[in-house]
Structures are given as C-alpha cells and as structure tokens.
Amino acid sequence: IGETLLSMGDLVQSIEVQSEVLAAARKVGDRAMEISCLNNLGSAYQRLGESAKALENLEQAVELAAKSGDRIGQIEALR
C-alpha cells in the first residue's frame, strides 16, 4: 500500500504507512523490508522537498544494505 500511495503521489499517507511497516520490519528483523521502507521514505521525503529527512533515510538504507550484503538495496538508495 505504501509503495502504491507513493506512486500515486499521496506522499504524506505513504510516509505514514511506510513508517508503520518500517517499525514492524525492525521488530521482526526483516532487513530487506527495512531497507525497502527506508528507500521509499527517502523518495517520499525527497518529493516533498524535505531533503534532510530524505537523506537521513537513504543513508540508513545504504548502511543497512551494506551490512546485510544487499547490493541491490545499496544501489537503490544511492541512485
């Protein structure tokens, strides 16, 4: 739902959903989902013009992806 809201341009709602999913992913230790949510949050914040929040989420995604050996997650965050 969060990704769909992002693609539809409902950025505020997407951020809310992605933040909930991020918390759940962290709770259960789902690193791939955590990286995906951080990337999506970065994109949403960037589109809202909130560069500092975008960068914060994307940097977390890069760091987590690097630690997890997730090259695709790293590339997505860096683009």
Side-chain angles (χ1 to χ4, degrees), residues 49-65:
E50 296 188 35
S51 300
K53 287 183 180 179
L55 189 57
E56 177 184 335
N57 282 280
L58 294 169
E59 286 175 339
Q60 286 181 47
V62 169
E63 183 179 333
L64 187 58

Side-chain angles (χ1 to χ4, degrees), residues 3-62:
E3 286 184 44
T4 301
L5 290 166
L6 180 62
S7 69
M8 291 172 42
D10 191 347
L11 304 176
V12 173
Q13 186 66 32
S14 176
I15 288 169
E16 290 177 15
V17 171
Q18 290 291 341
S19 296
E20 290 176 20
V21 174
L22 176 60
R26 285 178 170 161
K27 186 174 183 178
V28 300
D30 187 339
R31 297 286 189 198
M33 183 57 64
E34 188 175 351
I35 293 163
S36 178
C37 288
L38 288 166
N39 279 324
N40 289 337
L41 284 165
S43 294
Y45 282 121
Q46 180 182 24
R47 290 174 60 187
L48 279 174
E50 296 188 35
S51 300
K53 287 183 180 179
L55 189 57
E56 177 184 335
N57 282 280
L58 294 169
E59 286 175 339
Q60 286 181 47
V62 169

